[in-house]
Amino acid sequence: MPLSTRFIDPLEPRQLLAGDVLFIRGADRSGGFLEATNDFQRTEQLADINNAATSGGNHGWKQLADLLRANGYTVSQIQEPLESGAPSTGQTTGAPLALDQINLDQYDTIVFASNNATYSNASINAVEDYVRDGGGVIFISDGNFGSDWRDAPASDTPFLARFGLGVNQDNDTYTLRRNQGDFVEPSHPILFDVDAFDGEGVSPLIVPSTPPAGVTIRKIVNARGTVFNNDGNNPGNDYRGTSRPAGAQDAALVLATAGAGRVMAYFDRNTFFNTNGAGTDLTRFDNTQFALNAFEWATDRQPPYVSSSSFTQGSPYELNFRMEDNLEGTLNRDNIRLRNRKTGVNLPGQYYSLSIAEGNGYSDVTITIRPDAPLGPYQLRVERGQIRDESGNVRNGAIRYAFTLLPLSSPLSIDRDDSSSGPDRSWLMSLFSDSPTIAT
């Protein structure tokens, strides 16, 4: 009876190919309705990437911007203007940017951050086209990004609705943990080396039971607690919505793909605050690693997501994995290597064969190795830029899979990375994208 196991490759240096990131910020004095008592505070609540404050309770994102720049991204920010006729002081509301008149294609990722304006169909169409043509968008909502409970979610929802998603109003504070079952897809790359992250005053996302045509939705992390719908109609209580327990349709993190692009919706701004930020910040739990993973996913700098894999010892040996992309013939024997991890010598081509079965949005890959192949520890290698998906996009991440060809009479053995922290990762850590750590 053949033996099946996973083997762990020594971790390799990470070389991130990053991109251009644009943050959209709300107009001055348009935020902070829950907490701010003066115009400085109303503006400071808007999570500016230039706000470097580390005083207690700060709302700055400068450390997030610096983290991205240190990892190869270029980062910029544009701000919604004040509405025409807005008062010179006091709480106000921003006017929309003309996104249809901006060359969005110059950016790899657009972050809808503290925006709170109501956007035109032309701008919404421009963002949808940008996504479907290959762009990435991140939505981060918060009650204090507006002048009442509904401002921030109402600004994001028309964009998100094009992909079947929505956002609720602010409420609750909690930490989401791998070991408590909060992660719906714990092996997704956006959760690599993330065991816990938290938010303070969170705005869960709305996940539909059926996605729109042409859109794939993945609920990655559950929401908890009490959710407030964005359905308030009473100005007397700042348009506070109705409440209900969090359910299957609510998420802390949800991802969508449409055409060649990607949409991420996340439940809180506080996760990314500077040190000593209000409620939480980048230094708590695994918030920093989560931030890096999120932007790497949104800018599409990973290989196709590998949703399952297995290696079977036997006669013959067989390596199987599923990629959540159609590869359109771009993965072939010319761009894969089976390298001996000790000697660096490639396994000669006569010892193995490759077959790929394309399905609806996925590719099942099988590498069959003859039983007389030289034994030893091997690594499957597919270098960066070798694979294109069904939309013609180059996948800039590398693929690595470590396995060992054992004598058929040998007992089962598992390689282990003893330097990794956290839980036992031996069952998963065989697939990775040049990343220094992989979480289960």
Side-chain angles (χ1 to χ4, degrees), residues 114-144:
S114 55
N115 55 289
N116 52 51
T118 301
Y119 280 83
S120 67
N121 279 334
S123 285
I124 296 166
N125 290 340
V127 171
E128 181 182 6
D129 290 344
Y130 163 78
V131 170
R132 293 184 182 276
D133 288 343
V137 181
I138 297 175
F139 290 88
I140 304 170
S141 189
D142 191 277
N144 273 305

Side-chain angles (χ1 to χ4, degrees), residues 63-87:
Q63 288 182 358
L64 171 65
D66 289 345
L67 175 71
L68 296 176
R69 292 184 179 112
N71 281 269
Y73 297 86
T74 58
V75 182
S76 59
Q77 179 175 269
I78 57 175
Q79 185 170 321
E80 294 172 341
L82 290 173
E83 285 188 327
S84 177

Side-chain angles (χ1 to χ4, degrees), residues 27 43 79 183 199 212 227 233 248 260 265 318 379 416 423 438:
T43 297
Q79 185 170 321
F183 295 1
V227 172
N233 56 20
E318 192 169 274
Q379 181 188 60
R416 209 179 260 282
I438 301 296

Side-chain angles (χ1 to χ4, degrees), residues 93-298:
T93 301
L97 295 160
L99 297 176
D100 55 312
Q101 298 178 28
I102 297 174
N103 176 19
L104 301 180
D105 290 338
Q106 65 186 296
Y107 303 106
D108 293 278
T109 298
I110 299 171
V111 183
F112 282 81
S114 55
N115 55 289
N116 52 51
T118 301
Y119 280 83
S120 67
N121 279 334
S123 285
I124 296 166
N125 290 340
V127 171
E128 181 182 6
D129 290 344
Y130 163 78
V131 170
R132 293 184 182 276
D133 288 343
V137 181
I138 297 175
F139 290 88
I140 304 170
S141 189
D142 191 277
N144 273 305
F145 280 165
S147 60
D148 57 42
W149 289 108
R150 67 182 182 179
D151 271 358
S155 183
D156 288 342
T157 291
F159 295 98
L160 287 167
R162 296 295 180 92
F163 310 101
L165 304 173
V167 59
N168 296 292
Q169 294 181 358
D170 249 29
N171 192 56
D172 267 345
T173 296
Y174 46 79
T175 302
L176 295 162
R177 302 177 185 273
R178 178 183 299 276
N179 63 9
Q180 292 182 358
D182 295 320
F183 295 1
V184 180
E185 289 203 32
S187 62
H188 194 283
I190 208 166
L191 296 176
F192 280 175
D193 209 32
V194 175
D195 292 322
F197 61 85
D198 68 337
E200 190 268 341
V202 300
S203 304
L205 295 314
I206 304 166
V207 181
S209 55
T210 303
V215 178
T216 299
I217 294 176
R218 278 196 164 93
K219 179 179 176 181
I220 304 299
V221 181
N222 281 320
R224 289 185 182 177
T226 300
V227 172
F228 280 80
N229 304 303
N230 194 36
D231 59 1
N233 56 20
N234 181 3
N237 67 353
D238 294 313
Y239 300 99
R240 188 56 155 160
T242 56
S243 65
R244 58 178 172 79
Q249 75 274 38
D250 302 301
L253 172 64
V254 60
L255 308 177
T257 54
R262 302 150 308 285
V263 175
M264 168 185 156
Y266 183 66
F267 78 152
D268 197 38
R269 62 175 182 160
N270 302 55
T271 308
F272 309 118
F273 283 161
N274 301 334
T275 301
N276 300 315
T280 186
D281 58 58
L282 271 174
T283 69
R284 282 170 55 87
F285 299 106
D286 301 313
N287 294 354
T288 294
Q289 185 62 54
F290 172 73
L292 286 173
N293 293 349
F295 280 86
E296 187 169 342
W297 182 86

Side-chain angles (χ1 to χ4, degrees), residues 7-10 12 338-347 374-381 401-407 413 415:
F7 295 91
I8 300 175
D9 198 32
E12 300 185 5
L338 301 180
R339 184 192 68 171
N340 187 294
R341 285 150 47 208
K342 286 187 176 179
T343 66
V345 175
N346 291 327
L347 183 68
L375 303 178
Y378 285 89
Q379 181 188 60
L380 164 70
R381 299 172 62 93
Y401 192 111
F403 61 97
T404 301
L405 301 183
L406 298 173
S413 66
D415 294 340

